[in-house]
Amino acid sequence: MRPQTLSEVVARTRLDGDWDHHTREFLDTFYAADGETGQQAAMIRAEPDLLGREPVDAYIGGVGEHLARRWGLPIPAWVRHEARYLTKALFIPNERNLRGYLICVSPVAFRARLIFTGPDPLQRARFPYHRGVVTWPMEYPPRR
């Protein structure tokens, strides 16, 4: 069974260390509940324990904040804990020639944590595409 909350992601990670797999599984659960805002808010409300792994703890904070912002849910207070922020930039992917692009398009929940990634880093096969995805504008300047 997939994790039902971000707290459960961390609990499972403590057992096997595979935070990335558990996070992806959680996202599938979260997206399957699309439209059930109370249920989705509950999935990110409880504060996950800290793992003591700086990048992972920051990323989990970014996931909680980004999902809240993207789906119009209350932003949980736990995402603001100082351990949920990096002190050194992390680029995903870590390609020097992409850094300028990643700095520009990273969502605020990740950028504030010095995690620089693509415009919709939590996209999955179960992502509710009917809500739209964040993409680079196809024309510049945009038509009004």
Side-chain angles (χ1 to χ4, degrees):
M1 178 178 253
R2 293 185 172 110
Q4 302 296 304
T5 66
L6 279 175
S7 292
E8 198 174 325
V9 167
V10 171
R12 290 180 183 201
T13 299
R14 285 200 186 285
L15 297 175
D16 66 13
D18 195 354
W19 69 272
D20 186 48
H21 169 76
H22 299 304
T23 300
R24 286 183 275 121
E25 290 284 296
F26 165 76
L27 290 171
D28 287 342
T29 303
F30 185 89
Y31 297 147
D34 185 47
E36 301 293 329
T37 56
Q39 182 181 350
Q40 287 179 306
M43 297 169 93
I44 61 172
R45 184 178 303 126
E47 180 173 3
D49 290 336
L50 293 168
L51 290 165
R53 295 168 58 188
E54 187 178 353
V56 178
D57 289 333
Y59 195 85
I60 295 290
V63 170
E65 182 177 346
H66 182 71
L67 290 175
R69 288 179 181 279
R70 186 83 159 81
W71 270 262
L73 307 171
I75 298 173
W78 63 264
V79 303
R80 303 278 187 242
H81 188 282
E82 66 183 25
R84 301 283 180 193
Y85 293 85
L86 297 177
T87 57
K88 182 179 177 190
L90 174 65
F91 291 88
I92 305 169
N94 190 16
E95 298 290 333
R96 186 169 291 287
N97 59 341
L98 291 177
R99 287 183 177 183
Y101 169 74
L102 296 175
I103 288 169
C104 289
V105 301
S106 293
V108 68
F110 292 95
R111 190 171 52 237
R113 289 170 170 77
L114 299 180
I115 299 172
F116 300 101
T117 186
D120 233 330
L122 305 182
Q123 211 168 336
R124 300 273 301 143
R126 290 183 183 259
F127 188 89
Y129 287 96
H130 67 278
R131 291 190 175 270
V133 294
V134 179
T135 59
W136 191 261
M138 295 307 292
E139 59 181 65
Y140 188 83
R143 290 186 213 168
R144 295 188 187 241

